[in-house]
């Protein structure tokens, strides 16, 4: 089974930058996108349609052109859930869960701590609520978790760790929260297979950051430890353009 995650930084914007070609070239079983910035009524057709895929999406209800995620899947899930427990955070269109026979697929656009860390409390509450949600799901079956998780976990995951310390996405609080999640029984699949490789998934639009490969690794696939022996490949596709992020992928030996 092949899975892909891509923060597109605006679905309408990226459609003019070769997104359809990239989407089809992956031939993923599930393709998840973050930061769609889609604001229209949920009953309308999503701006991108993929033949052969079921499409599920959610949008921000509190601010137009903000957040939003979507999942394209070749197989109709057993159930679809938006947000965390009791739908929390769906007002910002942040999480979709697809249930299959052998696993839950959870895709998320994790809140950014914001300029001046003004949303740090909100971000830390999200992390706590995510743990509770995962505990609820894990009682039934293991989890594949993906998305823009808005944290560079280790110094190897960021070009300039010293100068970025305490910037959003590289604070001690966010890194500790990510480490705490891993300690609860989850594996970072890219680091599992590429323990020393330096590769990034996001670059600022400023200072020619992508040209200079001054990036951050903030897009992930995590799996429940029960699934880690089934991981076959985990890659960062920094040859795919169109956004300030690039896609990440996971191949895992699970029936679909």
């Amino acid at each position: 089974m092949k899975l892909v995650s891509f923060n597109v930084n605006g679905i309408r914007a990226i459609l003019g930058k070769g997104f359809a070609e990239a989407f089809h070239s992956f031939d993923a079983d599930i393709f998840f996108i973050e930061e769609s910035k889609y604001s229209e009524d949920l009953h309308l057709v999503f701006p991108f349609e993929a033949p052969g895929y079921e499409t599920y999406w959610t949008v921000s209800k509190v601010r137009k052109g903000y957040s939003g995620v979507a999942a394209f899947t070749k197989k109709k899930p057993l159930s679809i859930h938006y947000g965390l427990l009791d739908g929390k955070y769906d007002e910002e269109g942040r999480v979709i869960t697809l249930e299959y026979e052998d696993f839950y697929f959870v895709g998320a656009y994790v809140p950014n701590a914001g300029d001046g860390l003004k949303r740090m409390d909100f971000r830390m509450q999200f992390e706590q609520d995510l743990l509770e949600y995962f505990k609820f799901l894990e009682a039934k079956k293991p989890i594949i978790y993906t998305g823009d998780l808005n944290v560079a976990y280790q110094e190897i995951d960021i070009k300039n760790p010293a100068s970025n310390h305490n910037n959003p996405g590289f604070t001690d609080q966010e890194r500790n929260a990510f480490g705490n999640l891993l300690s609860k029984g989850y594996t970072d699949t890219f680091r599992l297979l590429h323990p020393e490789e330096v590769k990034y998934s996001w670059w600022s639009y400023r200072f020619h950051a992508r040209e200079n490969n001054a990036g951050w690794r903030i897009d992930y696939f995590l799996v429940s430890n029960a699934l880690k022996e089934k991981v076959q490949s985990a890659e960062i596709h920094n040859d795919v353009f169109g956004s300030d992020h690039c896609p990440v992928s996971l191949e895992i030996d699970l029936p679909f």
Side-chain angles (χ1 to χ4, degrees), residues 111-234:
N112 190 294
D115 293 339
L117 307 181
K118 62 186 177 184
R119 294 198 95 196
M120 180 61 81
D121 290 346
F122 183 82
R123 165 66 181 266
M124 290 297 100
Q125 187 61 54
F126 180 93
E127 299 288 356
Q128 292 180 33
D129 293 338
L130 182 75
L131 286 174
E132 288 300 311
Y133 182 54
F134 279 10
K135 184 178 179 181
F136 171 77
L137 296 181
E138 283 273 9
K140 302 176 184 178
K141 59 187 78 173
I143 295 167
I144 297 172
Y145 177 43
T146 190
D148 176 357
L149 306 191
N150 258 317
V151 61
Y153 179 43
Q154 298 173 312
E155 290 192 353
I156 192 176
D157 298 317
I158 185 170
K159 178 68 171 182
N160 298 303
S163 61
N164 280 295
H165 185 228
N166 284 329
N167 282 341
F170 199 61
T171 63
D172 295 339
Q173 299 99 305
E174 292 163 304
R175 295 168 67 195
N176 289 340
F178 188 86
N180 185 45
L181 173 60
L182 295 179
S183 75
K184 302 296 184 184
Y186 298 91
T187 295
D188 173 355
T189 60
F190 181 80
R191 201 51 75 206
L192 172 70
L193 299 184
H194 309 276
E196 304 296 332
E197 185 170 356
V198 175
K199 209 166 187 182
Y200 307 123
S201 66
W202 174 79
W203 304 261
S204 170
Y205 280 132
R206 299 182 297 168
F207 311 122
H208 303 284
R210 192 155 187 175
E211 293 172 41
N212 298 322
N213 199 29
W216 302 43
R217 186 174 76 97
I218 61 175
D219 302 85
Y220 297 83
F221 271 99
L222 305 186
V223 297
S224 299
N225 285 347
L227 299 178
K228 85 176 192 179
E229 298 302 323
K230 297 181 179 294
V231 172
Q232 297 172 316
S233 75

Side-chain angles (χ1 to χ4, degrees), residues 5 9 26 37 43 48 53 60 65 75 84 101 113 115 128 135 140 146 163 168 172 177 184-185 219-220 227 244 252:
S5 173
N9 195 16
F26 280 107
K37 299 183 178 179
H43 299 292
F48 176 71
Y53 287 83
S60 171
K75 182 178 180 181
L84 301 182
E101 288 82 356
D115 293 339
Q128 292 180 33
K135 184 178 179 181
K140 302 176 184 178
T146 190
S163 61
D172 295 339
K184 302 296 184 184
D219 302 85
Y220 297 83
L227 299 178
D244 52 348
I252 188 166

